[in-house]
Structures are given as structure tokens and as C-alpha cells.
Amino acid sequence: DIFYLKADICQLGLDQRKVNMLAREYCDDIGKKDKPVILSHRMLPGLQEGQEKASKSDPSSAIFMEDDANEVKKKIKSAFCPEGIVEGNPVLQYVRYVVFERFSEVEIKRKEEWGGNATYRSYQELEADFVEKKLHPGDLKIALTEYLNKILQPVRDHFINDPEARKLLELIRSYKVTK
């Protein structure tokens, strides 16, 4: 795919690292001097229970850059997030590796009768309250939805305001993903 697409930079999850490195080694074999740059990143789990990784072939398994605000809300609302449990919890993984990577603090907004608002300045602090059941999954999901939509809004604006980008997005959406 890298060579077919004539890609200079290839960004994929760590699970694809071996095949990407094989492509770079292949460049040596065929005498290609300009090897593609490989950017590997952490894999997020799927949003549903038991999904080891997000997958484009299962739209409910992940948040995608082209998801609108309502899609993000729907996906996060139905995401697996057992109260007090960290292991295998995709909502906490999104908070840790997406939200806290971009925001220095996370505010949880809730009614006084449910503990009032809470501000977390580190993932560890948030996780501790979650484990102690001081932070309810429903409240965490609402906050995660808000932060993800803040992150995605500039992307959405780009696709709305740039006619060329809008055409490209329409083309991408026209492709059917198969397993």
C-alpha cells in the first residue's frame, strides 16, 4: 500500500510496525533511496467490551476524525465503562491518551447533589477517583464527549470551509470498508 499510494509518510498503529519496517527494508533491496517515514502510534482499544483495538471496519469501535458531534456523543454514551474498573476500560484509555495529551486539566461538570464539579490536573488523579467510585462512568463519558468534540471541531471546520478537503472527505466516505 505504501508504494502503491506513493506515500512519503505512513502513519499507522504499532500493530503495523513490522510490515512498515519491511517496506523500508524492501527499499534497500530495490535500490530506492527515498524510504517512507514511518510514524507508529499507540493503539487505542475498541469502545465496546472485549475489543482489543479500534477498527475502521466497525464504526462503533472508535471515534474517527470525520465523526460529527452527535456521532461522538452516541459512541461514547454506549462505550464500555464499568464503574471503578480500569482494566479493559476504553473510556479511561481515551481520557489518558487523547484528552490528557492535549489538555492540562479535565473538568467534570455535575450537579452538587452528585458531588459538584471536579477538576483533574493529571490522569492518575482522575483514575484514583474513578477506582474509588467518586467519579461515575456517566459523568466521565459526558466530559470525554465534550473534550473529544473540542479536539475534532477544527478538523470538521477544515472539511466544511475548504472545498478541496470537502471533496476528499466525500470520496473517502464513498469507499466501503470490508473486513
Side-chain angles (χ1 to χ4, degrees), residues 11-139:
Q11 178 210 335
L12 292 168
L14 283 171
D15 64 328
Q16 300 295 314
R17 187 177 187 284
K18 287 182 182 178
V19 73
N20 286 331
M21 297 314 292
L22 183 62
R24 287 182 54 84
E25 291 170 11
Y26 178 69
C27 288
D28 292 334
D29 293 344
I30 63 170
K32 182 173 172 49
K33 291 183 180 184
D34 295 328
K35 297 178 185 182
V37 173
I38 307 299
L39 299 174
S40 298
H41 56 81
R42 170 179 293 283
M43 296 297 299
L44 288 170
L47 292 171
Q48 305 307 312
E49 183 176 7
Q51 292 178 324
E52 277 188 41
K53 66 177 189 170
S55 172
K56 191 72 173 171
S57 63
D58 179 0
S60 70
S61 75
I63 303 300
F64 301 106
M65 68 173 204
E66 68 267 18
D67 286 347
D68 65 33
N70 287 330
E71 287 172 306
V72 172
K73 182 178 180 180
K74 180 180 171 187
K75 288 178 181 184
I76 296 301
K77 187 174 183 177
S78 67
F80 180 67
C81 187
E83 187 174 18
I85 305 296
V86 174
E87 185 75 26
N89 189 327
V91 171
L92 286 174
Q93 294 291 300
Y94 269 75
V95 170
R96 182 176 188 176
Y97 295 112
V98 178
V99 176
F100 270 108
E101 288 293 320
R102 288 161 183 83
F103 297 93
S104 59
E105 61 183 34
V106 171
E107 183 179 7
I108 305 292
K109 298 173 187 169
R110 55 190 176 190
K111 295 179 180 179
E112 281 298 321
E113 64 193 77
W114 299 110
N117 293 349
T119 301
Y120 298 96
R121 289 177 179 74
S122 74
Y123 170 76
Q124 292 73 20
E125 186 183 359
L126 182 143
E127 182 185 281
D129 272 7
F130 187 81
V131 169
E132 293 174 23
K133 299 184 181 178
K134 294 178 183 175
L135 174 57
H136 189 271
D139 296 325

